[in-house]
Amino acid sequence: MQLHQLKYFVAVAEVRHFTQAADIVGITQPSLSKQVHALEEALGAPLFERVRGNITLTAAGEVLLPLAKRILADVDTATREVQELVGLRRGRVRLGATPSLATSLAPPVLRRFRDAHPTIDLRVEESGSQDLVRGLLRGDLDLALIIMPAQGTDPGLRADPILRESLVVASVEELPAARDTGRLHVTDLRDQPMVMFREGYDLRDATIQACREAGFEPTIAVDGGEMDAVLSFVEAGLGIALVPGIVVARRPGVRVTRLAPPGVRRTIAVARRRDVVPTHAGRELRRILLDYVRDATTDGDLPPGVEPL
């Protein structure tokens, strides 16, 4: 088994077409087919089924695909690490962050990093925690700011908790139960139409879990939005939503109501793959992140509703 064979196999698996895959990797289609066949012989099992022009993965191919992607990602990391050390080219760091953290915590951290290391290539992916975890495990990200799930993170990750964040109720009108105390209990949200985040957003899971722990199922008015869409639906009066306080700070059309203790709180963590040694750039970004959290805690500059751990 050779690395270029794995590369060709992944290319075919992703586009499900030998000619297109050959164009992507820059070789002829017969050469690619020959190398994929050699890989199948080395493994002792077919990797693709070819029926009437349709390419699908066999059971062996399904098993090999995530492993091949990890191997290629690890080789890429090792290559970049050595090249950074000998100065062949500038480094790269890929950071993932949830939408609320991408607009609150990430910008000042990346500003510090850019000031200290202007030649490092910064790449940012904004998505829900579940998607970011998959990106880390695939080797597509070096670090990610995620929300720790109640059941813990994937054993393939190292996730270090750094902050705790409180959720608030976003609405366009004052909710009746909050008029006397200014705060709401989760039970007050029973029968309130709710705008729900799409699958893959940890805010969706947090909302559903909080409602169920309070003894009811949420009444979903609109389902499947991303952060901007959810807030826009709230502004349009379609329902309420549980969101981090920081994301509604600049939305004058949205009313913010805090939850009475214990409320709904989430733990923010910085995560990376456990089995991959971080690059110099990745380690430096993590150091700057932790320094920023410490300094912001000391200076009182953490986003609203966020407290250190």
Side-chain angles (χ1 to χ4, degrees):
M1 183 188 304
Q2 300 181 34
L3 286 175
H4 68 275
Q5 293 173 339
L6 292 178
K7 180 180 177 181
Y8 301 160
F9 161 70
V10 170
V12 176
E14 288 181 339
V15 300
R16 304 300 169 99
H17 196 282
F18 275 77
T19 301
Q20 292 179 13
D23 290 339
I24 291 172
V25 298
I27 64 172
T28 64
Q29 187 270 328
S31 295
L32 181 140
S33 297
K34 181 179 179 180
Q35 290 299 321
V36 170
H37 180 65
L39 178 61
E40 290 175 325
E41 286 192 335
L43 293 172
L47 300 174
F48 297 104
E49 292 180 351
R50 307 161 180 84
V51 180
R52 297 179 182 176
N54 294 321
I55 305 296
T56 60
L57 286 170
T58 63
E62 294 283 1
V63 170
L64 178 61
L65 182 58
L67 298 174
K69 286 184 175 181
R70 289 190 187 184
I71 291 170
L72 293 172
D74 289 345
V75 170
D76 180 61
T77 298
T79 301
R80 287 187 290 105
E81 183 77 358
V82 172
Q83 289 177 335
E84 287 176 29
L85 284 175
V86 298
L88 294 179
R89 69 178 184 183
R90 62 183 189 176
R92 177 189 70 180
V93 62
R94 301 162 298 173
L95 174 69
T98 64
S100 60
L101 297 175
T103 58
S104 59
L105 182 58
V109 171
L110 295 181
R111 176 72 268 175
R112 283 193 180 192
F113 185 86
R114 172 62 66 206
D115 289 343
H117 306 283
T119 62
I120 299 296
D121 182 18
L122 280 173
R123 302 186 186 181
V124 178
E125 178 177 332
E126 179 182 346
S127 192
S129 290
Q130 295 176 31
D131 294 335
L132 296 177
V133 165
R134 285 190 284 267
L136 286 169
L137 294 173
R138 286 196 307 266
D140 296 337
L141 296 171
D142 299 306
L143 291 174
L145 291 167
I146 65 170
I147 304 301
M148 293 274 286
Q151 69 273 21
T153 56
D154 188 286
L157 297 181
R158 172 181 171 179
D160 299 314
I162 55 174
L163 295 166
R164 184 172 289 116
E165 177 183 53
S166 297
L167 301 185
V168 299
V169 180
S171 64
V172 290
E173 298 178 355
E174 185 177 20
L175 300 176
R179 287 173 184 163
D180 293 333
T181 65
R183 293 190 177 232
L184 289 166
H185 292 273
V186 176
T187 53
D188 297 326
L189 306 182
R190 185 191 299 268
D191 299 326
Q192 288 285 342
M194 304 190 77
V195 179
M196 195 64 65
F197 290 89
R198 68 165 173 82
E199 295 283 351
Y201 262 57
D202 56 274
L203 284 167
R204 179 189 183 91
D205 295 339
T207 300
I208 294 174
Q209 180 181 346
C211 292
R212 288 175 177 171
E213 289 178 353
F216 66 95
E217 289 292 322
T219 300
I220 300 177
V222 182
D223 195 1
E226 305 236 0
M227 182 64 72
D228 284 342
V230 165
L231 293 176
S232 295
F233 295 151
V234 170
E235 285 180 310
L238 293 171
I240 66 172
L242 281 180
V243 299
I246 185 61
V247 302
V248 291
R250 299 191 182 102
R251 308 283 293 228
V254 177
R255 178 185 294 272
V256 174
T257 306
R258 296 188 181 277
L259 290 168
V264 180
R265 301 197 296 175
R266 313 184 304 169
T267 299
I268 299 168
V270 55
R272 65 172 177 83
R273 263 180 64 180
R274 188 180 296 276
D275 61 341
V276 174
V277 177
T279 65
H280 287 303
R283 289 197 297 270
E284 181 65 2
L285 178 58
R286 184 179 183 277
R287 182 191 68 79
I288 288 176
L289 166 67
L290 296 180
D291 285 350
Y292 170 78
V293 169
R294 184 194 63 233
D295 295 344
T297 300
T298 301
D299 299 338
D301 291 336
L302 286 175
V306 175
E307 60 187 30
L309 287 175

